[in-house]
Amino acid sequence: MNKSYDIIVIGGGHNGLTTATILAKKGMKVLLLEKNKFLGGIASGHEFIPGYRTTGLVHDTSGVRTSVLKQLGLEQFGLKIKNARPDAAILAKDGRGIFLPSDRNKAIEEITKISKDDGEAYRDYRIFIDEIGKFLFPLLNEIPPDLIQFGTKELFALGKKGLALKKLGKKTMTELLKVGPMSVADFLNERFETEFLKAGLLGPSIYASYTGPWSSYTTLNLLMWEVCAREHIVGGPQALVNALEKAAISAGVVIKLQSEVSSINVDKHGMVTGITLKDGAVENSPIVASSCTPQHTFLDLLAPNVIDYPLERSIQNYRSRGTTAKVNIALSNKVKFKFKSDDTIEYARTGNSIDEMEKAFDSVKYRKFSDHPILDIHVPSVSDPTVAPDGHSVLSILVHFAPYHFDAGWNKEQKDRLKDNVEDMLLDYIENSRDEIVGCEVLSPVDFEDQFNLTNGHIFHGEHAVDQLITRPIPYCARYDTPIKGLYLSGSGAHPGGGITCAPGFLAAERIIKHKD
Amino acid sequence: MKGNYDAIVVGGGHNGLICAAYLAKAGKKVLVLEKRYVLGGAAVSEELYPGFTFSVASYVVSLFRPHIIRELELAKHGYEVIPMDCSLSPLPNGDSLARWGDAHKSRREISRFSQKDAEVYPEFSRIMTHMGKLAKEVIDHPAPDINSLKIKELANLLRLGKAFKDLGPDLLHMNIKLVTMSALDFLDQWFESEVLKAPMSVSGIIGTFQGVRSPGTAYVLLHHYMGQLDGAFRSWGFSKGGTGGISMACANAARSYGAEIKTNAPVHKVLIKNGQAYGVVLENGDEYTAKTIISNLDPNQTYLNLVGEKNLDDEIVKQVKRFKFRGSSGKVNLALDRVPEFSCRPGVGDHLRGDIAIAPSIDYLEKAFDEAKYGSFSKRPYINAVIPSLTDPTVAPPGKHILSCFVQYAPYNIKEGAENWPKYREAFGDAVVDTMAEYIPGLKDMILYRQVLTPWDIEKQMGLTEGNIFQGELSLEQLLFQRPISGYAKYKTSVPSLYMCGSGTHPGGGIMGASGELCAKTILQSRSI
């Protein structure tokens, strides 16, 4: 075979860049192909109105794995990491709010102002998170156990996990097993009394999911987010992408933009030989790592005769129903939240009450978007004034729930309706007036799919449902390699899942290295 | 003070009676105390209207453990179950889907809605039956204790581990899916037609405060394939003489082995001395003592009422209080002056001799659930109706019939407060009759008598906390080694000599008899009596 590259990485999102760079640093000849004119995928920011930029389509970087960033040497390429989750505000419609500094003692102080009991409860809650983090965090940072070739070695590995769980101590272990399968509503109702605090805390457990706060197992999602929210990136995801790009180039990765792959090529022995681009060009390589969604990888990029029927069916059954839309707002002033008079709040989330959030989810079941959506707000202009003209602001808002499967269809009229909804909601929480809104951009799940090949517009490349974790996306591909020899999954559709983490990209690279050796 | 019993069973539900029967059979001196005039708990038959014997609460049998029938010789004592052959789902447009015991017949019916679904249906049934065998492994043994490192417990875990491993990776993953997915998501993997999926998905929500899209509901789908009547999987049936017939058979068996059974004997408290249970006191002040006390009541009633908070550790009280009940269903029993014929399939045929599910679409079921989530009963509920009098003529006078409707959702905690349920009882009954009347022309004119049971009534009448028919939600954190609470999931309670044998213990609700049997065997093995 005419071997041009050691490996081809499909997709220049943050995971694809991570895989490519790690492997290039190991001395491999790497080609990275990106469909768009720019790198970063949904981690990239863009100018949505002349003079106003976002710093990422998704904006939560609190789960980024610093251990990976260190191995990539990103700090030497200008990346600034803060060793704490970002300060955040929880907003209530009545103008109240709680400021949650990353420093937990300060956060407890803030919560205590609203409710003394909740302050105490938050302390216990964070201690519980610390405890279970000892078990959960390592699990989310290593190649998952093998459940296919289930032999003595694997049993031993599982036994070790069991022991790690036992090491938490009887009380913590029992509590983890008790609350993990619970609904996050039950979990928080057992602990806290202030309704909008509960609503604010639970947000991350249902973002991009097909569940509401009353759904079972949502506590597990909350705990997973909590144990991973340890750091964040100054300048948002785009800053990460910039550093990743420099690191990739410096490591020798060949990056080709506007190069959409149309097929992954497989020879008659079922071995990967390379890819073909949309324009017909062929690139050869014995290894291909796809950071696209599992469905795009298996069902679009591979010829139908390459994968067998059970595999095809499992991939079709992999659930990734997008439920998130994005609204970017340009504002001709600083953003002033009603509950706090200064203008330094960069992250805020709404919810108001558990039932209101559940109702926001209900709409998805009837294939509508929510009239009272949950807003996950980032104001990038607070820490980076260059994203907007002097004194102006950008609000980057992830809107839950707005389903991909939408009866009315995502046309302009519906997008305008969503925009009006979000603006109305937003003005409940901020002092700014509607006149200060310079402009708005609405991105629907269908837009995500069109622009980034995200199947059903799902921002995590598939729901974080229990059966789609650990054995993510499906048992036969849960350890990054696939039944097709030479083909690896390296995107958010692989363990440990979506969000700006760099973890799947890194672990896929590790797996590839292990196989090479 | 009357004493010298080896064991006193508080509550004469089917599990209590089975527990008593096993202990008596082993030669123990056993007393069963039932608060009501009639035995059976929720598996009870009552003549509420002259000539009509209603299965007041629980109405079909499927999971009753076959070895219990053999070991207690229940057939000899009157146990007789007549299989149901059909599952009918009428649709608002006048069409309907009937699924039959005969797979070919079912496929023909399903193919009218989807050829693809008809093709997949047998494969689905095959795999589910296979999975059901594993679930059987779980329900026929006490829950493994993950906190213990005893050899016996490890062997127990290994046995389970091996059973899972033997499934192979595909079925292992399916098992994970069954435990964690929603019933609907699970079915979506196989089928496309809502006409099929809606009535199939409801087995996942019966008795729970969950919707068909709620994660964790897929597991209960398995129950449908575990029903084991005379060794045949996946068959459900009517008990001769109503479900109370099963309880009576269990009671007869218990008596035949020498157990003493008293009705109209409500227990007030369990007597405790030096932290140890030694007897019970009735509401009338009578006291009975025994070496072992066994409660057939739910965890809430057992710990907080019979024992009382003052006799318990704070941690136990806390764990008991977080155990979730949240009854979600009600029952409307109708005595009719003729056969209720359905407009979708006029006439009286075998299609009426099974269960009839009012679950015409997914959105219908979800709307019913959403109403309940925010504190109201569903105006158009999911109904599982049966006409037992067509199969078992002994339950109604000649020519007359019983239409028994299991209804969901009727949340215990309505927004007006549960104690206001009596005010809404008839409105709830009307909603059910109105719904049924959409499918049964002239239904309202046929009704001779109507009994409406709200969750409030179920709580008051049968002592089931918050009207939960399974003595506690069947959600994962309340199953296996966590049912009812971690550390006390093997029929023992935190009070020495006090055991539990109801559905609030592993393996949970339904007329299975497993809790009663496993409790008795645990006690006998411990040689404490």
Side-chain angles (χ1 to χ4, degrees):
Chain A
M1 191 178 75
N2 170 18
K3 177 182 142 182
S4 323
Y5 292 95
D6 293 321
I7 174 164
I8 296 172
V9 177
I10 308 175
H14 75 290
N15 277 314
L17 281 163
T18 302
T19 311
T21 308
I22 294 280
L23 294 176
K25 287 180 81 144
K26 285 275 168 188
M28 288 169 77
K29 207 176 157 204
V30 184
L31 170 66
L32 179 106
L33 299 167
E34 165 58 42
K35 165 195 168 192
N36 286 306
K37 271 189 257 181
F38 51 89
L39 291 169
I42 59 169
S44 63
H46 69 291
E47 189 170 44
F48 62 100
I49 282 175
Y52 299 86
R53 295 181 54 82
T54 66
T55 57
L57 195 153
V58 292
H59 47 235
D60 177 16
T61 57
S62 62
V64 77
R65 308 295 203 263
T66 14
S67 57
V68 176
L69 306 186
K70 285 216 173 76
Q71 295 209 37
L72 290 161
L74 293 189
E75 266 160 296
Q76 75 188 76
F77 297 104
L79 189 74
K80 289 197 189 71
I81 305 160
K82 282 218 169 141
N83 288 321
R85 55 172 71 180
D87 302 339
I90 289 174
L91 309 173
K93 244 194 293 204
D94 54 13
R96 287 194 297 163
I98 295 177
F99 184 61
L100 273 190
S102 60
D103 180 292
R104 88 172 51 171
N105 289 326
K106 286 188 191 146
I108 293 164
E109 245 172 64
E110 292 289 332
I111 295 172
T112 305
K113 287 182 198 163
I114 305 271
S115 152
K116 192 169 173 295
D117 286 351
D118 281 349
E120 287 296 314
Y122 189 73
R123 184 190 309 276
D124 294 345
Y125 172 70
R126 291 301 295 268
I127 291 170
F128 180 61
I129 302 290
D130 290 345
E131 286 296 314
I132 59 168
K134 292 175 198 159
F135 169 72
L136 275 182
F137 194 61
L139 193 65
L140 297 171
N141 284 296
E142 61 196 23
I143 296 172
D146 192 348
L147 295 174
I148 301 286
Q149 310 290 335
F150 203 77
T152 320
K153 205 177 112 202
E154 287 70 30
L155 199 67
F156 187 69
L158 273 187
K160 257 172 78 180
K161 282 283 151 229
L163 279 180
L165 183 62
K166 281 214 141 172
K167 257 178 90 180
L168 292 178
K170 191 171 168 184
K171 191 161 171 258
T172 309
M173 178 184 80
T174 311
E175 187 63 11
L176 176 59
L177 293 170
K178 178 81 187 170
V179 301
M182 273 189 183
S183 78
V184 76
D186 281 328
F187 174 69
L188 294 174
N189 277 336
E190 283 186 343
R191 286 166 173 73
F192 298 96
E193 60 180 18
T194 307
E195 192 63 22
F196 77 95
L197 171 66
K198 288 183 268 189
L201 288 176
L202 74 82
S205 72
I206 55 169
Y207 293 164
S209 74
Y210 203 81
T211 48
W214 283 108
S215 301
S216 297
Y217 294 102
T218 41
T219 301
L220 189 63
N221 288 94
L222 179 66
L223 299 179
M224 276 172 39
W225 181 84
E226 285 280 8
V227 301
C228 293
R230 300 178 171 207
E231 272 80 36
H232 72 286
I233 289 166
V234 181
Q238 182 63 54
L240 172 67
V241 174
N242 293 344
L244 276 169
E245 181 180 1
K246 286 180 196 147
I249 291 169
S250 129
V253 176
V254 179
I255 298 174
K256 290 191 183 171
L257 299 177
Q258 288 181 284
S259 302
E260 185 169 7
V261 172
S262 67
S263 73
I264 297 167
N265 303 328
V266 177
D267 69 12
K268 60 177 191 283
H269 307 294
M271 312 253 281
V272 163
T273 61
I275 59 92
T276 304
L277 290 170
K278 272 260 154 79
D279 62 14
V282 174
E283 301 283 1
N284 293 326
S285 162
I287 300 175
V288 168
S290 169
S291 61
C292 307
T293 67
Q295 294 99 320
H296 185 61
T297 306
F298 285 102
L299 306 179
D300 299 337
L301 297 181
L302 286 168
N305 59 346
V306 171
I307 59 174
D308 61 14
Y309 180 63
L311 177 65
E312 183 183 333
R313 203 167 85 173
S314 334
I315 292 291
Q316 277 164 345
N317 283 335
Y318 177 68
R319 303 186 304 292
S320 62
R321 295 159 289 189
T323 54
T324 312
K326 181 76 195 289
V327 175
N328 295 317
I329 295 178
L331 204 71
S332 65
N333 203 341
K334 299 268 190 214
V335 183
K336 290 202 177 73
F337 288 95
K338 282 181 180 167
F339 88 99
K340 208 167 184 285
S341 53
D342 62 27
D343 50 20
T344 58
I345 291 174
E346 191 174 350
Y347 293 88
R349 46 197 207 238
T350 74
N352 287 311
S353 75
I354 289 173
D355 276 359
E356 198 174 316
M357 295 173 95
E358 180 74 18
K359 281 178 185 154
F361 164 64
D362 285 344
S363 58
V364 169
K365 300 190 293 191
Y366 308 114
R367 303 159 303 279
K368 293 181 200 153
F369 62 66
S370 164
D371 291 330
H372 299 283
I374 305 161
L375 308 181
D376 176 23
I377 304 165
H378 178 211
V379 192
S381 45
V382 168
S383 62
D384 181 2
T386 67
V387 300
D390 239 8
H392 292 214
S393 311
V394 166
L395 289 130
S396 159
I397 304 173
L398 286 164
V399 183
H400 313 274
F401 288 87
Y404 175 86
H405 298 102
F406 182 40
D407 278 350
W410 279 107
N411 51 32
K412 176 157 189 316
E413 187 196 335
Q414 294 301 329
K415 281 192 185 179
D416 283 347
R417 257 192 60 216
L418 181 75
K419 179 189 79 126
D420 293 343
N421 264 353
V422 171
E423 281 183 12
D424 289 348
M425 295 277 299
L426 183 68
L427 292 170
D428 281 343
Y429 302 105
I430 60 176
E431 282 174 9
N432 308 63
S433 71
R434 199 180 293 272
D435 304 340
E436 293 169 37
I437 297 176
V438 178
C440 225
E441 178 196 40
V442 178
L443 296 169
S444 75
V446 172
D447 296 326
F448 301 163
E449 183 175 61
D450 289 346
Q451 194 171 358
F452 302 104
N453 280 338
L454 289 180
T455 311
N456 300 337
H458 199 278
I459 56 172
F460 291 162
H461 293 207
E463 295 158 37
H464 286 179
V466 184
D467 63 301
Q468 302 193 156
L469 296 169
I470 308 290
T471 55
R472 187 172 178 86
I474 56 167
Y476 286 101
C477 313
R479 289 156 61 82
Y480 311 97
D481 49 325
T482 68
I484 288 103
K485 224 169 152 31
L487 176 63
Y488 291 80
L489 295 178
S490 63
S492 296
H495 177 80
I500 310 284
T501 66
C502 294
F506 173 74
L507 293 173
E510 278 215 315
R511 184 82 172 143
I512 292 167
I513 293 164
K514 231 176 227 166
H515 278 185
K516 285 276 280 183
D517 293 344
Chain B
M1 173 102 60
K2 298 151 196 168
N4 291 329
Y5 291 105
D6 291 315
I8 293 173
V9 179
V10 182
H14 81 288
N15 274 314
L17 295 166
I18 286 169
C19 186
Y22 272 102
L23 294 176
K25 195 182 172 196
K28 307 298 171 192
K29 197 175 169 213
V30 185
L31 171 68
V32 180
L33 298 167
E34 165 58 39
K35 140 182 121 152
R36 299 191 67 207
Y37 74 96
V38 59
L39 291 170
V44 66
S45 302
E46 287 182 79
E47 186 173 336
L48 298 173
Y49 188 71
F52 291 85
T53 306
F54 289 98
S55 295
V56 174
S58 186
Y59 58 102
V60 285
V61 196
S62 82
L63 292 172
F64 200 88
R65 312 314 305 137
H67 59 271
I68 297 178
I69 303 174
R70 282 195 304 274
E71 288 168 7
L72 297 180
E73 303 167 288
L74 293 181
K76 196 173 89 185
H77 294 291
Y79 178 96
E80 186 181 348
V81 170
I82 310 159
M84 295 161 47
D85 190 47
C86 180
S87 211
L88 177 71
S89 357
L91 300 171
N93 64 5
D95 203 342
S96 63
L97 169 70
R99 290 179 292 139
W100 304 88
D102 176 349
H104 288 294
K105 245 168 119 181
S106 297
R107 283 178 67 182
R108 268 202 304 280
E109 289 259 2
I110 295 167
S111 67
R112 292 197 296 119
F113 301 95
S114 159
Q115 188 58 43
K116 183 184 153 258
D117 288 358
E119 279 163 24
V120 176
Y121 192 75
E123 171 72 1
F124 178 80
S125 305
R126 194 184 65 77
I127 290 186
M128 291 299 274
T129 306
H130 193 73
M131 303 295 293
K133 285 181 191 150
L134 179 77
K136 222 169 71 63
E137 184 73 17
V138 176
I139 62 177
D140 282 342
H141 297 273
D145 185 353
I146 56 150
N147 287 316
S148 165
L149 283 172
K150 284 186 200 146
I151 299 289
K152 211 180 97 196
E153 286 302 335
L154 288 177
N156 218 346
L157 272 178
L158 269 180
R159 179 181 54 75
L160 257 186
K162 188 179 176 313
F164 277 94
K165 185 177 169 291
D166 290 348
L167 285 175
D170 287 335
L171 291 183
L172 184 68
H173 190 233
M174 186 176 286
N175 213 58
I176 297 173
K177 289 179 166 211
L178 273 169
V179 177
T180 60
M181 274 171 92
S182 78
L184 188 62
D185 284 346
F186 190 78
L187 292 170
D188 273 342
Q189 301 184 99
W190 297 79
F191 304 113
E192 59 183 16
S193 166
E194 274 202 33
V195 176
L196 177 64
K197 282 188 287 188
M200 283 179 88
S201 67
V202 288
S203 14
I205 54 160
I206 286 183
T208 75
F209 195 58
Q210 304 271 351
V212 291
R213 274 202 181 82
S214 307
T217 50
Y219 158 75
V220 190
L221 288 177
L222 261 192
H223 277 197
H224 253 267
Y225 294 85
M226 275 161 25
Q228 229 192 42
L229 285 171
D230 303 323
F233 269 102
R234 206 194 166 273
S235 33
W236 291 65
F238 294 111
S239 164
K240 190 98 186 276
T243 44
I246 293 176
S247 303
M248 293 323 292
C250 297
N252 291 341
R255 284 197 192 98
S256 79
Y257 299 124
E260 201 181 321
I261 300 174
K262 284 187 203 294
T263 50
N264 293 315
V267 172
H268 176 56
K269 287 278 173 202
V270 168
L271 297 168
I272 293 170
K273 196 162 60 190
N274 300 330
Q276 181 133 351
Y278 72 95
V280 297
V281 55
L282 301 192
E283 277 173 13
N284 65 10
D286 289 357
E287 289 185 6
Y288 295 91
T289 58
K291 291 183 197 133
T292 293
I293 311 299
I294 302 153
S295 169
N296 187 189
L297 311 190
D298 69 39
N300 187 58
Q301 300 277 356
T302 303
Y303 279 103
L304 304 182
N305 290 352
L306 290 183
V307 176
E309 284 189 37
K310 67 173 177 14
N311 292 313
L312 296 166
D313 278 357
D314 291 348
E315 183 57 25
I316 297 288
V317 172
K318 186 182 147 203
Q319 295 302 334
V320 171
K321 284 188 173 168
R322 75 200 292 211
F323 189 76
K324 293 192 292 285
F325 290 92
R326 294 184 192 160
S328 58
S329 41
K331 191 82 195 291
V332 173
N333 294 311
L334 302 172
L336 305 179
D337 66 2
R338 69 196 102 129
V339 185
E341 289 185 36
F342 281 71
S343 50
C344 61
R345 292 189 191 215
V348 182
D350 284 345
H351 63 282
L352 298 182
R353 291 194 170 87
D355 73 307
I356 299 151
I358 307 298
S361 74
I362 305 294
D363 280 5
Y364 178 98
L365 296 171
E366 281 294 352
K367 277 181 189 140
F369 176 50
D370 285 349
E371 277 181 293
K373 265 196 304 197
Y374 307 114
S376 310
F377 63 82
S378 320
K379 305 298 170 300
R380 279 294 172 270
Y382 156 60
I383 298 171
N384 194 260
V386 291
I387 314 170
S389 45
L390 278 173
T391 313
D392 174 11
T394 66
V395 297
K400 306 213 179 338
H401 288 278
I402 286 174
L403 180 65
S404 161
C405 305
F406 169 85
V407 189
Q408 210 154 320
Y409 298 85
Y412 177 83
N413 290 306
I414 46 174
K415 56 177 179 287
E416 295 82 0
E419 68 283 0
N420 283 308
W421 252 118
K423 277 191 238 162
Y424 295 92
R425 186 185 294 124
E426 293 313 314
F428 170 62
D430 291 344
V432 174
V433 170
D434 287 347
T435 306
M436 289 308 289
E438 287 177 9
Y439 302 91
I440 306 172
L443 174 67
K444 288 175 193 171
D445 302 329
M446 301 176 202
I447 301 172
L448 300 170
Y449 171 81
R450 162 170 122 173
Q451 181 201 26
V452 181
L453 284 176
T454 70
W456 174 260
D457 300 317
I458 293 172
E459 178 179 75
K460 293 290 159 282
Q461 195 166 321
M462 307 187 178
L464 292 166
T465 302
E466 296 190 4
N468 187 299
I469 59 173
F470 295 146
Q471 290 200 348
E473 281 247 66
L474 298 177
S475 44
L476 186 65
E477 74 274 15
Q478 304 198 151
L479 289 176
L480 298 167
F481 59 90
Q482 307 197 86
R483 191 169 187 88
I485 53 178
S486 197
Y488 297 101
K490 290 166 110 50
Y491 314 100
K492 275 184 188 156
T493 67
S494 66
V495 179
S497 308
L498 176 65
Y499 288 78
M500 287 176 62
C501 72
S503 300
T505 60
H506 175 78
I511 309 181
M512 275 198 262
S515 294
E517 175 221 343
L518 292 171
C519 175
K521 288 182 176 169
T522 303
I523 293 170
L524 291 171
Q525 265 169 18
S526 76
R527 299 175 191 278
S528 58
I529 54 173

